[in-house]
Structure formats: C-alpha cells, structure tokens
Amino acid sequence: MTFPATRMRRLRQSEQLRALVRETALAPGDLIYPLFLCPGKGVRKPVGSMPGVFNLSVDEAVREAEQAAALGLGGLLLFGLPEGKDETGSGAWDEKGIVQLGLRALKASAAAQKFVLIADVCLCEYTSHGHCGVVVKGDEGFSVDNDPSLALLARTAVSLAQAGADVVAPSDMMDGRVGAIRKALDGAGCANTPILSYASKFASAFYGPFREAADSAPQFGDRKTYQMDGANLREAMREIELDLEEGADMILMKPAMPYLDVIRTARERFGVPMGAYQVSGEYSMLHAAFEKGWLDRDRAMLESLISIRRAGADFIVTYFAKEAVRLLQ
Ligand code: PBG
C-alpha cells in the first residue's frame, strides 16, 4: 500500500502518538558522569574549555556524587589529577593516590549505594611525559613500550579495585592489557571486579579539551602509535574481539558522534553490554554553539544522546549527564 492509503504523517500528529511509536529511549540510568578529582579541600576549579566541568577536590566530588545519585544517574567515571608526576606514573597505583582517596570517600557516602563507581585505568594523567604507557627514548625519537606497561596498568587496576572501584576501565590501548588486568585482579582477590574495556578507541582530535581537564597532554609526539586510526572500522572490530577474548566484561567505544557507524557495527556483531563515550570535544563544540545561540541547547543535547543510543550503545558516558536528566524529568 502506498499513498494515499499510507500516510506516514498520521503517527506524527501529536506528542502522545509520537511518544507511543518512539523506538529509542533515554533513561537517567543510561548516563555515566565523568569527574576529575584533584588534591585539596573545597576546590572547584573550572575547566576553561569545558563550561560546567570542574576539577574537584574529594569533598566536592562527594557532593557532586550525591547530586548525581539523587538524579538517578547510572554511575560516575573517575579521573585523577595527582599532586606530582613521574616517568612511570607511579601516582596511578599509589594507595594514597587521588582516585584511591576519592573512591574511599565516595564508598563511605550514601551515594555509592545508588550507582556504579567506575575508575579509569591509564597512566597519562600520572606520567611526566603524558603518554599512556612506559616511554623509551632512543636515537630516532621515542616509543611507548607495550609490554612493560602492562604490569603497571595491572597494578593500577588492582589498587583501584581495592580502594572500592565497582568497575575498572582501561583506556590506555596497550595490547594485552585486558588479560593482564584480569589475571592481576583474580590473583588479588578481586575476581568479581568487572572490566569495562575502552576496546575501540581512536586517536582523536576530539580529546583536546579533556587533556586540559585532566592535565594529560603528551609533552612530545602524539598517541597515534597506540590509539586507532580514525579511518578503520574492521580494525575496531578486531580490537573488540581481542579484548573480549582476554576477558573484558563490557566494552566502551569512543569518541561517539563521529563514530556512530562503529557503534552500530559492534552492536550487530557482539552480544556484550556496550557503552559509548561522548568525549570532551563533542561536548565543547556543542557548548560553543549554545553560547553563540546557534543551536537550541536542550534539543541539540538530547538529540546527540539519542543518536548514540540509537546507534546501539546501552549506556553513554557524557559531561551532559546531569543537565540531560533534568530535561528527562
Ligand atoms: C586517558 C583518556 C583520555 C580520555 C579518556 N581517557 C584522553 C586521551 O586518550 O588522550 C578522553 C576523554 C574525553 O575526551 O572526554 N587515556
């Protein structure tokens, strides 16, 4: 049957009808809110390139967590800005490290019962050179050495799990890190700690503002030898397959909006829970347009999030989490 018997517009006549036939939903529990923890007390330092995002001392982070829990968010993703940095990033696995301290405080708060605390596992915020693994310098420049990085990442994951992380999320893109982390967690009595692996992570310009927020910009070179080339879809599927074989429980895809096809393809291929990270640059560019009055803030925000869910992500890491939930209520 075609026109005039068929009229697609019949089901678009009212908001009630549109709501009834809507295919994709966005719920507060689908959203994960990133927090950047820093030393001190009462610190709430704005990140210049990300309006509405702050570096928070632990006491402030607990207040943020309580708000986020009251809004019904799915969880928090924690990053740390340590007091000091060194060549190996030893602050990442320090028992008294910034995220470890934050986890203990958050665990003791009422908020922790209501959602999931996810700890990002990486070295770039903790290394003086800003790379995600061990750097070896030679005559022809430098390289990020894969295998020696694994033990450090595994140690970091164990330390975060022991401090109270419900989930650990490796974002470094070293080969073999999921297997190394799984083995270390199991050996340390953390067999029940799930791994959310950033399995499909592209070397992206859209991480720019994050590097200001987390003070993690590489001091030389770039991340192209470990993060994926943005042109590659098949390679992303191999990365995911390998991480699942090594024991990843869930996978995270990133960035989100410029890579919706990668999310869709992974959704069709893999039966595991899958998240997508609407990264800093995606957030900042929308904000810049909101500030200029070029885009309708509320509509553009929700449309960006629905598009990521429609592509196939079960949950979304987003700096819009709190604002978006207010619009859903
Ligand atoms: C750490 C890490 C990064 C992001 C998440 N974890 C930065 C990077 O890889 O350079 C980016 C998140 C964002 O842009 O919001 N490796």
Side-chain angles (χ1 to χ4, degrees), residues 122 124 171 201 207 210-211 223 227 254 279-280 319:
C122 197
C124 62
S171 68
K201 175 167 176 177
Y207 306 150
F210 171 95
R211 293 180 186 165
R223 302 208 202 290
Q227 299 179 348
K254 109 190 223 198
V279 301
S280 55
Y319 302 98

Side-chain angles (χ1 to χ4, degrees), residues 35-280:
L35 291 187
F36 299 96
L37 307 181
C38 69
K41 233 179 168 224
V43 181
R44 212 177 153 77
K45 181 174 165 253
V47 177
S49 53
M50 300 178 73
V53 176
F54 302 85
N55 290 165
L56 301 166
S57 53
V58 170
D59 55 322
E60 290 287 329
V62 169
R63 286 191 12 205
E64 248 342 286
E66 276 157 8
Q67 275 180 26
L71 289 168
L73 296 185
L76 299 179
L77 175 61
L78 304 177
F79 297 95
L81 290 95
E83 201 99 50
K85 305 183 189 234
D86 59 26
E87 275 288 303
T88 53
S90 63
W93 60 83
D94 181 351
E95 211 189 306
K96 296 205 175 72
I98 184 66
V99 178
Q100 286 83 348
L101 291 177
L103 280 165
R104 288 198 195 92
L106 288 166
K107 267 289 172 198
S109 75
Q113 318 303 321
K114 302 208 179 97
F115 57 27
V116 181
L117 292 175
I118 308 173
D120 186 87
V121 177
C122 197
L123 302 179
C124 62
E125 298 129 64
Y126 304 91
T127 49
S128 41
H129 44 72
H131 280 286
C132 305
V134 175
V135 164
V136 186
K137 287 187 181 123
D139 296 342
E140 275 152 49
F142 78 100
S143 68
V144 176
D145 206 354
N146 195 85
D147 299 9
S149 305
L150 300 183
L152 307 186
L153 291 161
R155 196 165 163 190
T156 302
V158 168
S159 152
L160 293 165
Q162 287 174 341
D166 298 312
V167 173
V168 290
S171 68
D172 52 281
M173 288 299 277
M174 298 300 122
D175 287 322
R177 94 274 207 207
V178 173
I181 289 172
R182 181 74 273 156
K183 199 162 154 228
L185 287 172
D186 291 357
C190 301
N192 285 325
T193 304
I195 299 175
L196 167 63
S197 145
Y198 287 73
S200 167
K201 175 167 176 177
F202 292 92
S204 172
F206 290 91
Y207 306 150
F210 171 95
R211 293 180 186 165
E212 180 193 338
D215 186 26
S216 67
Q219 298 304 301
F220 46 84
D222 54 38
R223 302 208 202 290
K224 288 183 187 160
T225 66
Y226 44 106
Q227 299 179 348
M228 272 187 296
D229 186 314
N232 296 354
L233 172 66
R234 292 191 300 260
E235 186 188 0
M237 297 306 113
R238 277 198 78 200
E239 282 282 3
I240 296 169
E241 214 166 84
L242 290 166
D243 279 11
L244 292 175
E245 277 168 20
E246 288 177 32
D249 299 281
M250 304 179 270
I251 55 173
L252 195 58
M253 330 274 293
K254 109 190 223 198
M257 259 170 75
Y259 295 87
L260 292 175
D261 59 321
V262 182
I263 299 173
R264 163 63 22 202
T265 308
R267 174 74 294 154
E268 283 165 8
R269 197 162 315 177
F270 303 101
V272 296
M274 235 174 66
Y277 198 144
Q278 183 179 50
V279 301
S280 55

